[in-house]
């Protein structure tokens, strides 16, 4: 507790020093803290989107917390690095990518008064603060899960039992809470949709092999660990699940779709999402008041399908979906 108080005092002092500098003393500086690792396609896409709208004069510093591949004691050093970078660089604005960064760092950084722009948030941002600070705004990433399932019942019309399969990370729990309201299964359009939150790779495989579902949707699968507590590579999870499932598998990431991947995805595109957040940041750096900006909800989504996987299960897309789909 004492250490946390010291950090907050130090950060506040740094922020006050920052605002005491003349406006033209340096180029605008943004600290971007990503929840995940630099190799995750979503992370790469969001960064590309952010960079695409930032003026060349803006300096962008990035720290990766790597909270999907590492357990809390292991990624603590990355959190400390992010806080140290904040103090060292005195950024004009901080961008926090995805729920873990906002949950872990949002309250501490917001307390300094430095503007914060979040993105990739699946939970309600207010849940990470006692009250949402006036210097915090951002973009919520929200794929309407049951809308996606309804679309998929047009692709798999005989489906009566559907499984939503996720890891047990905070992001997955947020999706579960907002969609299932604490229930393990729900009746939906005359069908039964069951949700399973699983953190262990062995149990994940057992669940996939158990069968009994007409299709599986796996929105979040990035934090699985094996029997030794080691992280299971994202690509391995996608490829194994697709290969061994007797039912078609769908996701909510475009990069999961492919010949050795899932059959389809309704996905928020990272580059577009990052660009929305980047434009919010640019507006704040140019003097726009956060009070005049509103939280944005990025839930349009884009359809992606793979013909090899569709053919494998004898699936034919309804014409309206086929016209809108990107094939991979």
């Amino acid at each position: 507790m004492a250490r946390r108080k010291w950090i907050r005092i130090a950060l506040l002092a740094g922020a006050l020093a920052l605002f005491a500098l003349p406006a033209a003393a340096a180029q605008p500086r943004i600290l971007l803290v990503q929840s995940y690792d630099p190799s995750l396609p979503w992370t790469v896409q969001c960064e590309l989107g952010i960079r695409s709208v930032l003026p060349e004069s803006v300096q962008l510093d990035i720290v990766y917390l790597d909270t999907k591949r590492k357990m809390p004691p292991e990624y603590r050093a990355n959190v400390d690095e992010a806080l140290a970078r904040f103090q060292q660089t005195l950024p004009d604005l901080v961008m926090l990518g995805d729920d873990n960064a906002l949950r872990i760092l949002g309250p501490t950084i917001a307390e300094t008064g430095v503007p914060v722009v979040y993105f990739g948030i699946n939970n309600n941002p207010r849940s990470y603060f006692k009250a949402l600070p006036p210097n915090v705004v951002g973009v919520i990433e929200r794929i309407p899960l049951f809308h996606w399932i309804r679309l998929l019942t047009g692709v798999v019309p005989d489906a009566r039992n559907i499984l939503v399969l996720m890891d047990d990370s905070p992001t997955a729990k947020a999706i579960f809470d907002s969609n299932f309201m604490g229930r393990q299964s729900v009746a939906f359009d005359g069908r039964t949709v069951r949700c399973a939150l699983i953190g262990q790779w062995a149990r994940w495989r057992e669940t996939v092999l158990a069968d009994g579902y007409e299709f599986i949707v796996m929105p979040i699968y990035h934090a699985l660990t094996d029997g030794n507590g080691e992280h299971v590579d994202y690509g391995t999870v996608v490829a194994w699940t697709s290969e061994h499932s007797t039912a078609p598998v769908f996701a909510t990431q475009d990069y999961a779709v492919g010949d050795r991947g899932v059959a389809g995805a309704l996905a928020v595109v990272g580059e577009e999402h990052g660009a929305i957040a980047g434009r919010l940041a640019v507006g704040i750096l140019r003097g726009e008041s956060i009070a005049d900006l509103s939280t944005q909800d990025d839930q349009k989504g884009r359809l992606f399908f793979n013909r090899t996987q569709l053919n494998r299960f004898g699936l034919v897309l309804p014409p309206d979906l086929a016209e809108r789909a990107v094939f991979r």
Side-chain angles (χ1 to χ4, degrees), residues 140-158:
I140 297 172
E141 176 209 356
R142 189 160 291 155
I143 286 295
L145 181 60
F146 280 94
H147 170 65
W148 180 213
I149 290 173
R150 179 174 281 121
L151 292 179
L152 289 174
T153 59
V155 181
V156 191
D158 295 332

Side-chain angles (χ1 to χ4, degrees), residues 179-320:
N179 285 277
F180 287 86
M181 308 299 180
R183 295 168 293 175
Q184 294 299 320
S185 66
V186 297
F188 178 69
D189 285 355
R191 300 167 174 87
T192 299
V193 182
R194 176 175 171 258
C195 184
L197 299 179
I198 297 172
Q200 292 296 319
W201 178 224
R203 187 165 162 240
W204 177 284
R205 288 179 293 171
E206 289 173 2
T207 303
V208 171
L209 294 174
D211 202 3
Y213 303 96
E214 280 73 48
F215 67 83
I216 296 173
V217 182
M218 40 183 261
I220 301 292
Y221 47 85
H222 303 78
L224 293 168
T225 56
D226 62 20
N228 297 317
E230 297 294 326
H231 177 263
V232 182
D233 179 73
Y234 320 125
T236 298
V237 175
V238 171
W240 189 96
T241 304
S242 176
E243 179 183 354
H244 291 86
S245 175
T246 59
V249 181
F250 302 91
T252 56
Q253 300 84 19
D254 56 325
Y255 56 83
V257 180
D259 289 350
R260 297 189 66 248
V262 301
L266 178 61
V268 168
V269 179
E271 289 188 44
E272 297 172 4
H273 189 82
I276 296 172
R279 282 190 284 269
L280 281 175
V282 170
I284 294 168
L285 291 176
R286 288 176 176 169
E288 292 183 30
S289 169
I290 292 182
D292 295 332
L293 300 172
S294 59
T295 294
Q296 300 193 36
D297 200 347
D298 187 2
Q299 60 177 353
K300 295 173 294 185
R302 191 183 299 176
L303 287 166
F304 297 85
F305 287 99
N306 175 264
R307 288 190 173 90
T308 298
Q309 290 294 332
L310 292 174
N311 292 338
R312 172 187 168 193
F313 293 100
L315 301 178
V316 178
L317 296 183
D320 62 320

Side-chain angles (χ1 to χ4, degrees), residues 24-43:
Q27 294 176 308
R29 194 161 202 152
I30 292 175
L31 174 63
L32 168 59
V33 182
Q34 294 276 29
S35 290
Y36 312 136
D37 61 276
S39 65
L40 182 65
W42 168 258
T43 301

